Amino acid sequence: MARSDELFERARAVIPGGVNSPVRAFGAVGGDPIFVARGDGGWIEDADGRRYVDFVQSWGAVLFGHARAEIVRAAADAAARGTSFGAPMEAEVRLAEEIVDAVPSVEMVRLTSSGTEAAMSAVRLARAFTRRPGVVKFAGCYHGHADGLLARAGSGVATFGLPSTPGVTEAAARDTIVVPYNELAAVGEIFEAVGDQIACIIVEPVAANMGVIPPEAGFLEGLRDIALEHDALLIFDEVITGFRVGRSGAQGLYDVTPDLTVLGKVMGGGFPCAAFGGRAELMDRVAPAGDVYQAGTLSGNPVAVAAGLAALQLVRDEDPYPGLEKSATSLVEGIADALGSSGIAHTINRVESLFSLFFTDQPVRNFDEARRADHDAYAGFFHALLEGGIYLPPSGYEAWFLSAAHGDAEIERTVEVVKNAAPTLA
Ligand code: PMP
């Protein structure tokens, strides 16, 4: 019996579904998950000693690949000085300053341990500031698993086809209004009808939890205008896009300024560290400066903050974005050629280095169109690549993540495996 299978069996006895986050269980693609033993750069090695080119990269948290020396060293040095104090430290100030410097709309920032907490707290602040209850979100966008934000969420929720989830009360879901992504007119109609009840619009400026779906021209600008017109706040959830589509995130790329921004993943260097931030006028409402309660024992944890600072220093020193874009372009072109020559219908959506593959000949602009893609075909593709030593996200509703450590060798190898597999998938 393979070591991964043995571990999965033991895991299922003591951990629900054998995993600590649903998508890891391979439910969407079938089969049993591999257990990871270690990683380096663009690669992971499983518990049976097999190596894979890794396109999950901790779901985008490790922009510089696994075990990047500068980040490991910074975390180890910080841990040696004490792993948690629950008291303020200089490094937190430096990380906050770095984020304020990089992200155009952010003047002040509060650190949290997860993107879920950060998004939940940003919505709480928006409700407090506007004194309104309503939240407009988009079908297929995921903002973590706070009750009110799970309505028609993407990612794991999309994978499992649940409209929402048991355990979320009607009261918690009632104030969430769900609208199709990229449909500005639908947002306008909601605001015409009940705009005076809406605290905020929360959006992934590039949707990346229903596969990758770019915002159509004018969509983000339109949301900005509608929110302003109705005195509601616009929240960009940049947990994925932040420090990935560029140092200034999607707001820099598209030049649209949200009121509040949610960050996570890259800014923590692969450790539990996330943030929400925005204009000082808004953030000054957060306790203890203001009256909106928000807290965390491990918020601003010194090990996570040191790793985050090291990652953001690498962003400054190495400007990884042109390289990431180049790798993504050649990978996407290689895959498209290989699938095209075998007559396999597909659509690849890409923004900078963020992309995903849908098995459909139709454009994919929203959640319904993402659902209409052939997800069984994705499962077959996933397993063919896994067999060839390429580890893809185990769901067609997830983005593929490149790191700065994916070089020509990893890209060429991946394209080769797709070329070999394509005829068997047609
Ligand atoms: N927002 C977005 C856009 C995300 O992609 C995620 C997680 N993938 C979250 C929020 C939640 O972050 P976390 O998993 O750190 O709670």
Side-chain angles (χ1 to χ4, degrees), residues 114-117 119 142-145 155 204 209 237 239-240 265:
S114 69
T116 293
E117 282 172 85
Y142 180 67
H143 306 292
H145 61 94
S155 197
E204 292 181 67
N209 281 290
D237 182 344
V239 166
I240 285 182
K265 299 198 193 258

Side-chain angles (χ1 to χ4, degrees), residues 21 23 59 140-143 152-161 204 208-211 240 265 367 395 397-398:
S21 199
V23 73
W59 303 100
C141 281
Y142 180 67
H143 306 292
R152 290 201 82 197
S155 197
V157 182
T159 297
F160 289 89
E204 292 181 67
N209 281 290
M210 46 179 154
I240 285 182
K265 299 198 193 258
F367 190 34
S395 161
Y397 291 106
E398 304 286 356

Side-chain angles (χ1 to χ4, degrees), residues 122-132 199 285 291-292:
V123 168
R124 179 181 303 145
L125 176 57
R127 284 174 162 155
F129 186 79
T130 59
R131 291 193 232 141
R132 298 171 179 176
R285 286 289 301 273
D291 54 353
V292 180

Side-chain angles (χ1 to χ4, degrees), residues 46 58-59 79 97 112 188 258-259 288 293 321 336 364 379:
D46 73 10
S58 185
W59 303 100
E97 286 169 347
T112 66
D259 299 294
Y293 194 71
Y321 304 108
V364 181

Side-chain angles (χ1 to χ4, degrees), residues 163-257:
S164 174
T165 170
V168 172
T169 62
E170 261 174 47
R174 191 175 47 215
D175 293 323
T176 308
I177 302 166
V178 184
V179 178
Y181 197 75
N182 274 328
E183 280 191 32
L184 207 49
V187 181
E189 281 164 28
I190 298 288
F191 271 88
E192 286 312 317
V194 290
D196 62 344
Q197 291 299 304
I198 296 173
C200 60
I201 304 171
I202 185 165
V203 65
E204 292 181 67
V206 178
N209 281 290
M210 46 179 154
V212 170
I213 301 190
E216 289 184 340
F219 178 59
L220 298 174
E221 294 83 349
L223 296 180
R224 178 63 286 177
D225 290 345
I226 291 172
L228 272 176
E229 194 185 318
H230 292 270
D231 295 320
L233 300 185
L234 177 63
I235 304 177
F236 274 7
D237 182 344
E238 299 226 42
V239 166
I240 285 182
T241 52
F243 296 101
R244 173 156 297 271
V245 299
R247 184 169 179 265
S248 56
Q251 56 197 268
L253 187 65
Y254 295 106
D255 197 20
V256 176
T257 307

